Amino acid sequence: MQRTFSQSVSTVTSVPFNESRSSTKLGEGAVIVGVPAEIKDAERRVGLTPTSAREVTHRGHDVLIEKGAGLGSGFTDTEYENAGAKIVETAEDVFTGAEMIIKVKEPQAIERARLTPDHTLFTYLHLAPDQAQTDDLVASGCTAVAYETVTDQKGRLPLLAPMSQVAGRMSIQAGAHHLEAPHGGSGVLLGGVPGVAPAKVVVIGGGVVGSNAIEMAVGMGADVTVLDRSAEVLESLNARFGPVLRTIYSTAAALDHYVVEADLVIGAVLIPGAAAPKLVTRDMISRMRPGSVVVDVAIDQGGSFETSKATTHSDPVYIVDDVVHYCVANMPGGVPRTSTLALNNATLPFTLALAAGPKQALLADQHLLNGLNVHRGMITDEAVAEALDMTYVDPAEALNN
C-alpha cells in the first residue's frame, strides 16, 4: 500500500494493521509518528510541540496528532496542521495508524492494550516500581524506549534532566503552599520576616532535582540544608551557593537529625532505572513537628519516604502522623507549557533518530540504547529486571534476535 499524507483518517485506519506498515519496517524509510492525548490525571503535557512536529515532517515522516492533544500545553490543532501534522479524532486512530508512539507519561492500561509488536514507544516509563505496566509492555511485544534511562557521555540523564529541573523548582512552591495553615501546614512562611526565623528546608539529594530545589528555597530566604553521599556534589553545591547553604554528608544519623527538625523535606534521590531507596523512615516522620511538609519528588520511582504513596494533582496530599505528604507522580504536568517546551528541547534529536530507524538508531548510539527497557517481550534494562525479579536480556542481543 502506498501511503500519502493526504489520506483521510478512515483510509489510514481501515487497512489491516500490518499491511499499513508494510513499507515502513525498521530502517526502511519514512514512518508514521503518532501523538495521543495524555490521559493520566491532570496531565496536560504533550509528546510533540508543533515546532517538533514540523521537524519530524520535514524529515519525510508523517505525524498523527489526536484532536486536542496539545490544548493543555497551549498548542492548537491548527498549529499542528500548519506544521504538517494530521489531526485524527481518537487515541485509537493514533495507535492504529502509527508505528512510533511519542508520549510524556507512562502508558495507562487502556493505552498498553493498544500496543503491538509493530510499535516503538518513546516516553517516560519508570518501570521499576510498576509490575503491571511492565507485564503489559512485555506482553504487547512492543519496543519501549524510556526517556529516564537514556544517558549522555558524562553518564547523566539528559531526557530526565529538564523535568527534574521543573520538579525541583515546583517542590519548593508546593512545599511552601502546603506549609500554609489553610492547606494543612504548620503556618510557617518559608522565608520568614525580619525578627522571625525562616522555615528549615532539608533537601535529600544534591543532583538536578535537589540543586533546583535548593536554588528556589535559597531564593525565598529559607534556612536550607542539603544531604548527599557524594563529596564532589557537596563541594560543587558549596561553591555555587556559598554559606547560605548548609552541606552535610548523608548518614543515617544525619538524616534522622535534620529530617526530624525540618519544616519542609524534599526527597530528591534517584537511582537511574531502579526503585528509589527508602531513606526517610516512618519513625522519623512520626517525630516531625505537626504541620511539617514532605515532598517526594522520587515518587515516580516508588518514593524515598517509607510513608509515601503516589497522589495526583487533583488530590495531591494526605496526612501521616500530622505530617503533610505531597507525592504527585507527575509534578511537571502542573506547568505543562513550560514542561512540554523543555522536554521537547531534549527529546527531539532522539525522536528524529528513532523515526529514521529504531533498530539502527539504538545500535548506533549506546546512550540511546541505554533507554531501551523492553523489546519484543524481553526486559532490556538491568535495573528494571533486578527490581522486578525478571530475566534481563542485553539490549543489543535482544535487538539482534
Side-chain angles (χ1 to χ4, degrees):
M1 172 182 167
Q2 181 66 37
R3 286 190 301 110
T4 62
F5 191 67
S6 61
Q7 288 175 311
S8 67
V9 174
S10 60
T11 304
V12 172
T13 59
S14 63
V15 294
F17 191 86
N18 289 332
E19 182 181 341
S20 72
R21 286 160 177 72
S22 61
S23 65
T24 56
K25 296 183 185 297
L26 292 181
E28 295 182 12
V31 301
I32 307 175
V33 176
V35 181
E38 296 292 324
I39 59 175
K40 190 164 185 172
D41 179 76
E43 180 55 72
R44 297 179 176 85
R45 289 174 289 180
V46 64
L48 289 181
T49 65
T51 298
S52 293
R54 182 180 297 278
E55 287 296 313
V56 175
T57 59
H58 181 70
R59 303 296 179 95
H61 309 295
D62 292 348
V63 176
L64 304 181
I65 306 284
E66 183 181 351
K67 183 177 180 180
L71 292 177
S73 294
F75 303 117
T76 66
D77 291 345
T78 299
E79 288 179 273
Y80 284 107
E81 289 177 319
N82 290 341
K86 186 178 186 63
I87 303 300
V88 298
E89 287 294 322
T90 68
E92 186 174 358
D93 292 332
V94 171
F95 280 84
T96 302
E99 294 115 309
M100 183 175 174
I101 303 295
I102 307 294
K103 282 178 45 60
V104 178
K105 289 305 294 176
E106 70 278 0
Q108 304 301 290
I110 191 172
E111 297 174 308
R112 301 195 296 266
R114 294 178 175 133
L115 291 168
T116 78
D118 294 296
H119 280 123
T120 296
L121 173 67
F122 193 34
T123 189
Y124 288 116
L125 293 175
H126 300 291
L127 294 181
D130 195 340
Q131 185 75 61
Q133 183 194 177
T134 305
D135 289 343
D136 286 350
L137 293 181
V138 167
S140 76
C142 77
T143 297
V145 182
Y147 293 160
E148 73 273 9
T149 60
V150 173
T151 57
D152 66 13
Q153 292 180 345
K154 295 184 178 180
R156 298 171 302 192
L157 306 173
L159 307 191
L160 188 62
M163 296 304 93
S164 295
Q165 292 167 347
V166 171
R169 291 169 183 243
M170 287 186 69
S171 70
I172 300 302
Q173 291 184 187
H177 178 72
H178 289 285
L179 273 173
E180 296 174 12
H183 302 119
S186 59
V188 174
L189 181 65
L190 207 65
V193 293
V196 179
K200 294 180 179 179
V201 176
V202 171
V203 179
I204 305 173
V208 178
V209 169
S211 63
N212 278 270
I214 291 165
E215 184 170 342
M216 292 293 288
V218 166
M220 294 177 73
D223 177 353
V224 187
T225 300
V226 60
L227 296 103
D228 199 286
R229 300 198 71 171
S230 168
E232 182 179 358
V233 166
L234 295 176
E235 288 173 5
S236 175
L237 291 171
N238 184 70
R240 177 177 173 184
F241 292 102
V244 296
L245 174 66
R246 185 181 298 107
T247 57
I248 301 295
Y249 185 81
S250 183
T251 64
L255 276 168
D256 187 285
H257 173 76
Y258 286 100
V259 166
V260 170
E261 294 296 318
D263 296 295
L264 170 61
V265 179
I266 308 297
V269 174
L270 172 72
I271 299 174
K278 302 293 185 183
L279 297 176
V280 176
T281 67
R282 181 177 291 272
D283 175 64
M284 293 179 197
I285 295 291
S286 71
R287 289 184 284 120
M288 294 179 72
R289 188 157 62 94
S292 300
V293 176
V294 296
V295 177
D296 199 342
V297 186
I299 194 64
D300 281 317
Q301 294 291 117
S304 54
F305 303 106
E306 284 188 347
T307 48
S308 291
K309 61 180 180 180
T311 62
T312 64
H313 284 289
S314 58
D315 189 15
V317 299
Y318 59 93
I319 309 295
V320 176
D321 292 331
D322 295 323
V323 174
V324 180
H325 288 59
Y326 181 98
C327 303
V328 174
N330 59 326
M331 287 179 63
V335 286
R337 179 79 176 191
T338 296
S339 296
T340 294
L341 290 167
L343 181 60
N344 270 245
N345 288 344
T347 58
L348 181 58
F350 297 98
T351 296
L352 296 173
L354 287 168
K359 180 177 179 179
Q360 290 85 340
L362 289 162
L363 290 176
D365 184 348
Q366 179 61 50
H367 301 296
L368 181 56
L369 185 63
N370 290 336
L372 185 64
N373 279 208
V374 180
H375 177 67
R376 296 197 177 275
M378 294 171 278
I379 300 295
T380 55
D381 183 278
E382 193 167 7
V384 170
E386 181 178 351
L388 298 177
D389 194 24
M390 300 177 76
T391 301
Y392 165 70
V393 180
D394 179 85
E397 178 183 336
L399 287 168
N400 285 314
N401 272 351

